[in-house]
Amino acid sequence: MSKHKFLVAVAVAIGVAAGIPGSHRVAAQPGEHGGPGEHGGGKEPPGKPEVVELNLTPSSAQLAACMPDARVDVTVRLTTDLRGFDVFHVHATGLPPNTTFTTFLIEQAGPPFGAAEYIGDFTSDDHGKADNTFRLIVAEAFASTLVDGQRVRVDLNQVGAWFADPTGDDFCLGPNSPVTPFDGDNEAGVQAFNSANTTPLPAP
């Protein structure tokens, strides 16, 4: 076989292998894939990424009463197999205006929360609306630490959002509300929303 024919045969074989049924590699959605040259360019594999949707609810009855119209929807496109990260999108309405919330993947939805990973912020506008997108590994997120000299893995399958500023929750809880460490400067308000009342993120 000539060198040219051999190279063509190899290319065809690779193309066929990429389309084997049951493959975990999925195509990115429009707008989630870069232009020519990203990941070598070329065509995307067939199929669509798995999508997980969560509705975060207020973390206490008192907060729910203070934010009766609040809705925080999280949509996660599980694209790690294709791109090396998942796409985590937050869309919220009915929030207190001009308020920033820190977002965490956590071991437990409510107190004491357990292990936590800070993944980003979202901020409401004058009308209480917020949108932001984070790119990180979500479906296989975990914390690894030492307990009694043994390395322990803890999966982070829940989501929580805290008032980023310690005074952010004062409109509901008053000026003496707790200060928590759930922000980059180690000073935040209480947890505002969590995933206790929705399906948790998929386990690895």
Side-chain angles (χ1 to χ4, degrees):
M1 180 183 294
S2 69
K3 181 178 180 181
H4 174 73
K5 290 182 178 179
F6 174 78
L7 292 176
V8 171
V10 170
V12 171
I14 292 173
V16 171
I20 292 175
S23 169
H24 294 292
R25 300 186 66 81
V26 292
Q29 292 298 292
E32 291 184 358
H33 200 282
E38 183 181 1
H39 305 298
K43 295 182 179 180
E44 298 171 353
K48 296 181 179 180
E50 180 183 354
V51 175
V52 178
E53 296 181 344
L54 300 86
N55 174 235
L56 307 187
T57 52
S59 300
S60 70
Q62 186 173 356
L63 287 171
C66 292
M67 301 183 289
D69 299 320
R71 183 177 179 89
V72 181
D73 295 315
V74 173
T75 302
V76 184
R77 295 188 181 278
L78 303 178
T79 57
T80 289
D81 284 348
L82 175 68
R83 310 187 63 194
F85 57 81
D86 300 320
V87 181
F88 182 109
H89 180 74
V90 180
H91 174 72
T93 57
L95 302 177
N98 304 307
T99 302
T100 298
F101 299 84
T102 58
T103 311
F104 286 77
L105 299 182
I106 46 182
E107 180 182 358
Q108 301 171 15
F113 310 117
E117 178 188 358
Y118 182 21
I119 63 172
D121 298 347
F122 60 94
T123 302
S124 62
D125 62 15
D126 293 344
H127 305 288
K129 297 180 180 180
D131 277 282
N132 205 358
T133 300
F134 313 137
R135 290 170 171 80
L136 70 155
I137 292 177
V138 177
E140 296 182 1
F142 70 95
S144 178
T145 189
L146 293 175
V147 177
D148 297 328
Q150 300 295 317
R151 183 155 295 281
V152 175
R153 170 185 171 129
V154 176
D155 291 324
L156 306 177
N157 297 330
Q158 301 286 347
V159 180
W162 276 256
F163 292 95
D165 192 298
T167 64
D169 54 24
D170 288 0
F171 75 97
C172 183
L173 306 181
N176 297 317
S177 58
V179 177
T180 71
F182 288 89
D183 192 18
D185 61 5
N186 209 41
E187 290 188 348
V190 301
Q191 189 192 63
F193 304 96
N194 65 39
S195 58
N197 298 315
T198 192
T199 302
L201 295 167

